[in-house]
Amino acid sequence: MSVIVTGAASGIGRATAIEFAKRPLAGDQAKLMLVDRDEAGLASLIAELNALGAAAATCVADLMDPTAGETVVAATLAAFDGIDALISNAGAIHMVPLAEISTGQFDMLMNINARATLVLGQAARPYLAKSRGAIVATASTAAENPIIPLGAYSASKAALVMLMRQMAAEWGPEGIRCNCVSPGPTHTAMTAASYDDPEARAARAAEIPLGRVGAPEDLARAIRFLAGPDASHISGVNLLVDGGISANIATSKSSAANKIENK
Ligand code: NAD
């Protein structure tokens, strides 16, 4: 089973590649195409995947390049036969209020967080149709909840969630399932500046019903589920993997709701 994982050099993408290697979806060996612009990060993963019994190849690409989809698919077909799943996970963030964000920063977030999945999906589509495969994209709880100062990031992830619903509608008849996972607060390189600090991590955990900040492996298991046969009749969903924080808006730290009472 041949799986493309983008953003594989770090965090959720890295954990996802390891999850597929440990528990191949079909047969006894995962075939993993690892994609990132961080060449050293990809190289550092190969030995671990090989030790787990997986075949792995790398493609160094900047996924903001509109030709990146063709590049990644060509590299995958050169290494393996066909494509069974595309995990479009690479993403980026800017903590800038909407009043200050530049059009360049806004375009960058839309390109990596939404358009990259389109160009990858377009290039992989004929092969996914042949395998009756799946696309899983990593969105965010920010797609459904405004978070200050992540306005442009939230908008880009909302665009991604709708893109995947639209793909599910347009490409479902070809046998391709298209879904999102949405991480809540998750401890990765992207959030290390916050969650490496145990006090900050504990403060965040206190806002999460399940009482902890997420780990990359929490997402990896959900991604593997959505990519695989156990999800064979699931398409167009956005699966929240957030410890319940999206269901818990009223208890966020600044909520005035805690002070409401009847007279
Ligand atoms: P991470 O920084 O650990 O990993 C992101 C990876 O994407 C990196 O290896 C980076 O090199 C790669 N990447 C970024 N831009 C790229 C580009 N233009 N071309 C190629 N590769 C590129 O972060 P993570 O937390 O594992 O993030 C994975 C996904 O999860 C992202 O889409 C992110 O938006 C999403 N997410 C993360 C959190 C969280 O709390 N960590 C929450 C919600 C959503």
Side-chain angles (χ1 to χ4, degrees), residues 16-109:
T16 299
I18 292 168
E19 177 70 15
F20 278 114
K22 282 184 179 163
R23 298 200 298 142
L25 280 176
D28 54 6
Q29 185 188 45
K31 295 173 187 157
L32 300 167
M33 172 52 68
L34 313 171
V35 184
D36 208 292
R37 61 182 174 187
D38 173 359
E39 187 170 5
L42 289 181
S44 71
L45 183 56
I46 295 280
E48 183 172 355
L49 295 174
N50 289 161
L52 289 166
T58 61
C59 177
V60 179
D62 183 344
L63 296 165
M64 287 190 287
D65 181 338
T67 66
E70 296 296 341
T71 305
V72 168
V73 166
T76 309
L77 296 176
F80 307 121
D81 333 322
I83 303 172
D84 296 291
L86 163 63
I87 313 303
S88 184
N89 163 78
I93 200 164
H94 263 315
M95 298 191 71
V96 185
L98 288 179
E100 290 160 27
I101 197 157
S102 69
T103 52
Q105 288 171 321
F106 186 88
D107 289 351
M108 186 281 264
L109 290 175

Side-chain angles (χ1 to χ4, degrees), residues 7 9-12 36-38 61-64 89-91 112 138-140 153 157 183-186 188-191:
S10 179
I12 293 166
D36 208 292
R37 61 182 174 187
D38 173 359
D62 183 344
L63 296 165
M64 287 190 287
N89 163 78
I112 183 60
T138 307
S140 170
Y153 177 79
K157 292 295 190 177
T186 305
T188 66
M190 183 179 279
T191 54

Side-chain angles (χ1 to χ4, degrees), residues 176-197:
I176 305 173
R177 298 182 301 99
C178 304
N179 294 293
C180 286
V181 292
S182 273
T186 305
H187 195 170
T188 66
M190 183 179 279
T191 54
S194 301
Y195 305 139
D196 280 358
D197 171 11

